[in-house]
Coordinates of all heavy atoms in Angstrom, one line a residue:
L1 N 102.0 -38.8 49.2 CA 101.2 -38.1 48.3 C 100.3 -39.0 47.4 O 99.1 -38.8 47.2 CB 102.1 -37.2 47.4 CG 101.4 -36.5 46.2 CD1 100.3 -35.5 46.8 CD2 102.4 -35.7 45.4
K2 N 101.0 -40.1 46.9 CA 100.2 -41.1 46.1 C 99.1 -41.7 46.9 O 98.0 -41.9 46.4 CB 101.2 -42.2 45.6 CG 102.2 -41.7 44.6 CD 103.2 -42.8 44.2 CE 104.2 -42.3 43.2 NZ 105.2 -43.3 42.8
D3 N 99.4 -42.0 48.2 CA 98.3 -42.6 49.0 C 97.2 -41.6 49.2 O 96.0 -42.0 49.2 CB 98.9 -43.0 50.4 CG 99.9 -44.1 50.3 OD1 99.9 -44.8 49.3 OD2 100.7 -44.3 51.3
A4 N 97.5 -40.3 49.4 CA 96.4 -39.3 49.6 C 95.6 -39.1 48.3 O 94.5 -38.7 48.4 CB 97.1 -38.0 50.0
E5 N 96.2 -39.4 47.2 CA 95.5 -39.2 45.9 C 94.6 -40.4 45.5 O 93.9 -40.3 44.5 CB 96.5 -39.0 44.8 CG 97.2 -37.6 44.9 CD 98.3 -37.5 43.8 OE1 98.9 -38.5 43.4 OE2 98.6 -36.3 43.5
V6 N 94.7 -41.5 46.3 CA 93.8 -42.6 46.0 C 92.3 -42.2 46.2 O 92.0 -41.7 47.2 CB 94.1 -43.8 46.9 CG1 93.1 -44.9 46.7 CG2 95.5 -44.3 46.6
V7 N 91.5 -42.4 45.2 CA 90.1 -42.0 45.2 C 89.2 -43.2 45.4 O 89.4 -44.2 44.7 CB 89.7 -41.3 43.9 CG1 88.2 -40.9 43.9 CG2 90.6 -40.1 43.7
T8 N 88.4 -43.1 46.4 CA 87.4 -44.2 46.6 C 86.0 -43.5 46.5 O 85.9 -42.3 46.4 CB 87.5 -44.7 48.1 OG1 87.2 -43.7 49.0 CG2 88.9 -45.3 48.3
K9 N 85.0 -44.3 46.4 CA 83.6 -43.7 46.2 C 83.2 -42.8 47.3 O 82.5 -41.8 47.1 CB 82.6 -44.8 46.0 CG 82.4 -45.7 47.2 CD 81.4 -46.8 46.8 CE 81.1 -47.7 48.0 NZ 80.1 -48.8 47.7
E10 N 83.8 -43.0 48.5 CA 83.5 -42.1 49.7 C 84.0 -40.7 49.5 O 83.5 -39.8 50.0 CB 84.0 -42.7 51.0 CG 83.3 -44.0 51.5 CD 83.8 -45.2 50.8 OE1 84.7 -45.1 50.0 OE2 83.1 -46.3 51.0
M11 N 85.1 -40.6 48.6 CA 85.7 -39.4 48.4 C 84.8 -38.4 47.7 O 85.1 -37.2 47.7 CB 87.0 -39.5 47.6 CG 88.1 -40.3 48.3 SD 88.6 -39.4 49.8 CE 89.9 -40.5 50.4
Y12 N 83.7 -38.8 47.1 CA 82.8 -37.9 46.5 C 81.9 -37.2 47.5 O 81.3 -36.2 47.1 CB 82.0 -38.7 45.4 CG 82.8 -39.1 44.2 CD1 83.3 -40.4 44.2 CD2 83.2 -38.2 43.2 CE1 84.1 -40.9 43.1 CE2 84.0 -38.6 42.2 CZ 84.5 -40.0 42.1 OH 85.3 -40.4 41.1
L13 N 81.9 -37.6 48.7 CA 81.2 -36.9 49.7 C 82.0 -35.7 50.1 O 83.3 -35.8 50.1 CB 81.0 -37.8 51.0 CG 80.1 -39.1 50.7 CD1 80.1 -39.9 52.0 CD2 78.7 -38.7 50.3
E14 N 81.4 -34.6 50.4 CA 82.1 -33.3 50.7 C 83.2 -33.4 51.7 O 84.3 -33.0 51.6 CB 81.1 -32.3 51.1 CG 81.6 -30.9 51.2 CD 82.1 -30.3 49.9 OE1 81.5 -30.6 48.8 OE2 83.1 -29.5 49.9
E15 N 82.8 -34.1 52.9 CA 83.8 -34.1 54.0 C 85.0 -34.9 53.6 O 86.1 -34.6 54.0 CB 83.1 -34.6 55.3 CG 82.6 -36.0 55.2 CD 81.2 -36.1 54.7 OE1 80.7 -35.1 54.0 OE2 80.5 -37.1 54.9
H16 N 84.8 -36.0 52.9 CA 85.9 -36.9 52.5 C 86.8 -36.2 51.4 O 88.0 -36.4 51.4 CB 85.4 -38.2 52.0 CG 84.9 -39.1 53.1 ND1 85.7 -39.8 54.0 CD2 83.6 -39.4 53.5 CE1 84.9 -40.5 54.8 NE2 83.7 -40.2 54.5
F17 N 86.1 -35.4 50.6 CA 86.9 -34.7 49.5 C 87.8 -33.7 50.2 O 88.9 -33.5 49.8 CB 85.9 -34.0 48.6 CG 86.5 -33.4 47.4 CD1 86.6 -34.1 46.2 CD2 87.0 -32.1 47.4 CE1 87.3 -33.6 45.1 CE2 87.6 -31.6 46.3 CZ 87.8 -32.3 45.1
F18 N 87.3 -33.0 51.2 CA 88.1 -32.0 51.9 C 89.2 -32.6 52.6 O 90.3 -32.1 52.6 CB 87.2 -31.2 52.8 CG 87.9 -30.2 53.7 CD1 88.4 -29.0 53.1 CD2 88.2 -30.4 55.0 CE1 89.1 -28.1 53.9 CE2 88.9 -29.5 55.8 CZ 89.4 -28.4 55.2
Y19 N 89.0 -33.7 53.3 CA 90.0 -34.4 54.0 C 91.1 -34.9 53.1 O 92.3 -34.7 53.4 CB 89.4 -35.7 54.7 CG 90.4 -36.5 55.4 CD1 91.0 -36.2 56.6 CD2 90.8 -37.7 54.8 CE1 92.0 -37.0 57.2 CE2 91.8 -38.6 55.4 CZ 92.4 -38.2 56.6 OH 93.3 -39.0 57.2
R20 N 90.8 -35.4 51.9 CA 91.7 -35.8 50.9 C 92.6 -34.6 50.5 O 93.8 -34.7 50.3 CB 91.0 -36.4 49.7 CG 91.9 -36.8 48.5 CD 91.1 -37.5 47.5 NE 91.9 -37.7 46.3 CZ 91.8 -37.0 45.2 NH1 91.0 -35.9 45.2 NH2 92.5 -37.2 44.1
K21 N 92.0 -33.4 50.3 CA 92.7 -32.3 49.9 C 93.7 -31.8 50.9 O 94.8 -31.4 50.6 CB 91.8 -31.1 49.5 CG 92.5 -29.9 49.0 CD 91.5 -28.8 48.5 CE 90.8 -29.2 47.2 NZ 90.0 -28.1 46.7
V22 N 93.3 -31.9 52.2 CA 94.2 -31.6 53.3 C 95.4 -32.6 53.3 O 96.6 -32.1 53.5 CB 93.5 -31.6 54.7 CG1 94.5 -31.4 55.8 CG2 92.4 -30.5 54.7
Q23 N 95.1 -33.8 53.1 CA 96.2 -34.8 53.1 C 97.2 -34.6 52.0 O 98.4 -34.7 52.1 CB 95.7 -36.2 53.0 CG 94.8 -36.7 54.2 CD 95.6 -36.7 55.5 OE1 95.5 -35.8 56.3 NE2 96.5 -37.6 55.6
I24 N 96.7 -34.2 50.8 CA 97.5 -33.8 49.7 C 98.3 -32.6 50.0 O 99.5 -32.6 49.7 CB 96.6 -33.6 48.4 CG1 96.1 -34.9 47.9 CG2 97.4 -32.9 47.3 CD1 95.0 -34.8 46.8
A25 N 97.7 -31.6 50.6 CA 98.5 -30.4 51.0 C 99.6 -30.7 52.0 O 100.7 -30.2 51.9 CB 97.5 -29.3 51.6
D26 N 99.3 -31.6 52.9 CA 100.3 -32.1 53.9 C 101.5 -32.7 53.2 O 102.7 -32.4 53.4 CB 99.6 -33.0 54.8 CG 100.6 -33.5 56.0 OD1 101.6 -32.7 56.2 OD2 100.3 -34.5 56.5
A27 N 101.2 -33.6 52.2 CA 102.3 -34.3 51.5 C 103.1 -33.4 50.7 O 104.3 -33.4 50.6 CB 101.7 -35.5 50.7
L28 N 102.4 -32.5 50.0 CA 103.1 -31.5 49.1 C 104.0 -30.6 49.9 O 105.2 -30.3 49.5 CB 102.1 -30.7 48.3 CG 101.3 -31.3 47.2 CD1 100.2 -30.4 46.7 CD2 102.3 -31.7 46.1
T29 N 103.6 -30.2 51.1 CA 104.3 -29.3 51.9 C 105.6 -30.0 52.5 O 106.7 -29.5 52.6 CB 103.5 -28.7 53.1 OG1 102.3 -28.1 52.5 CG2 104.3 -27.7 53.8
D30 N 105.4 -31.3 52.9 CA 106.5 -32.1 53.4 C 107.5 -32.3 52.3 O 108.7 -32.3 52.6 CB 106.0 -33.4 54.0 CG 105.3 -33.2 55.3 OD1 105.5 -32.2 55.9 OD2 104.6 -34.2 55.7
M31 N 107.1 -32.5 51.1 CA 108.0 -32.7 50.0 C 108.8 -31.4 49.8 O 110.0 -31.5 49.5 CB 107.2 -33.0 48.7 CG 106.6 -34.4 48.6 SD 105.6 -34.7 47.2 CE 106.8 -34.5 45.9
L32 N 108.2 -30.3 49.8 CA 108.9 -29.0 49.7 C 109.9 -28.8 50.8 O 111.0 -28.4 50.6 CB 107.9 -27.8 49.7 CG 108.5 -26.4 49.6 CD1 109.3 -26.3 48.3 CD2 107.4 -25.4 49.7
Y33 N 109.5 -29.1 52.0 CA 110.4 -29.0 53.2 C 111.6 -29.9 53.0 O 112.8 -29.4 53.3 CB 109.6 -29.4 54.4 CG 110.1 -28.7 55.7 CD1 109.5 -27.5 56.1 CD2 111.0 -29.2 56.5 CE1 109.9 -26.8 57.2 CE2 111.4 -28.6 57.7 CZ 110.9 -27.4 58.0 OH 111.3 -26.7 59.2
L34 N 111.4 -31.1 52.5 CA 112.5 -32.0 52.3 C 113.4 -31.6 51.2 O 114.6 -31.7 51.2 CB 112.0 -33.4 52.1 CG 111.7 -34.2 53.4 CD1 110.9 -35.5 53.1 CD2 112.9 -34.5 54.2
A35 N 112.8 -31.1 50.1 CA 113.6 -30.7 48.9 C 114.5 -29.5 49.3 O 115.6 -29.5 48.9 CB 112.6 -30.3 47.8
L36 N 113.9 -28.6 50.0 CA 114.8 -27.4 50.5 C 115.8 -27.9 51.4 O 117.0 -27.4 51.4 CB 113.9 -26.4 51.1 CG 112.9 -25.6 50.2 CD1 112.0 -24.7 51.0 CD2 113.7 -24.8 49.2
G37 N 115.5 -28.9 52.3 CA 116.5 -29.5 53.2 C 117.6 -30.1 52.5 O 118.8 -30.0 52.9
S38 N 117.3 -30.8 51.4 CA 118.4 -31.4 50.6 C 119.3 -30.4 50.0 O 120.5 -30.6 49.9 CB 117.8 -32.3 49.5 OG 117.1 -33.4 50.0
I39 N 118.8 -29.3 49.6 CA 119.6 -28.2 49.0 C 120.5 -27.7 50.1 O 121.7 -27.4 49.9 CB 118.7 -27.1 48.4 CG1 118.0 -27.6 47.2 CG2 119.6 -25.8 48.1 CD1 117.0 -26.6 46.6
D40 N 120.0 -27.5 51.3 CA 120.8 -26.9 52.4 C 121.9 -27.9 52.8 O 123.1 -27.5 53.0 CB 119.9 -26.7 53.6 CG 120.7 -26.0 54.8 OD1 121.4 -25.1 54.5 OD2 120.6 -26.6 55.9
I41 N 121.6 -29.2 52.8 CA 122.6 -30.2 53.2 C 123.7 -30.3 52.1 O 124.9 -30.4 52.5 CB 121.9 -31.6 53.3 CG1 120.9 -31.7 54.5 CG2 122.9 -32.7 53.4 CD1 121.6 -31.4 55.8
R42 N 123.3 -30.2 50.9 CA 124.2 -30.2 49.8 C 125.2 -29.1 49.9 O 126.4 -29.2 49.8 CB 123.5 -30.2 48.4 CG 124.4 -30.2 47.2 CD 123.7 -29.7 46.0 NE 123.5 -28.3 46.0 CZ 122.6 -27.6 45.3 NH1 121.8 -28.2 44.6 NH2 122.6 -26.3 45.4
E43 N 124.7 -27.9 50.2 CA 125.5 -26.7 50.3 C 126.4 -26.8 51.5 O 127.6 -26.3 51.5 CB 124.7 -25.4 50.4 CG 123.9 -25.2 49.1 CD 123.1 -23.9 49.2 OE1 122.9 -23.4 50.3 OE2 122.5 -23.5 48.1
S44 N 125.9 -27.4 52.6 CA 126.7 -27.6 53.8 C 127.9 -28.5 53.6 O 129.0 -28.3 54.1 CB 125.8 -28.2 54.9 OG 126.6 -28.5 56.1
I45 N 127.7 -29.6 52.8 CA 128.8 -30.6 52.5 C 129.8 -30.0 51.6 O 131.0 -30.4 51.6 CB 128.1 -31.9 52.0 CG1 127.4 -32.6 53.2 CG2 129.2 -32.8 51.4 CD1 126.8 -33.9 52.8
M46 N 129.4 -29.0 50.7 CA 130.3 -28.5 49.7 C 131.6 -28.0 50.3 O 132.7 -28.2 49.8 CB 129.6 -27.4 48.9 CG 130.5 -26.8 47.8 SD 129.7 -25.4 47.0 CE 128.2 -26.2 46.3

């Protein structure tokens, strides 16, 4: 997510801005998937 949030001057171009947003969405979704996974693993071990 931090890598996706790095802004360069090319990011101000429309296509690069959109690509960056997709990468951020990807990282955020993976974070959610893993966070829910940790909850499930914790409950399994209980």
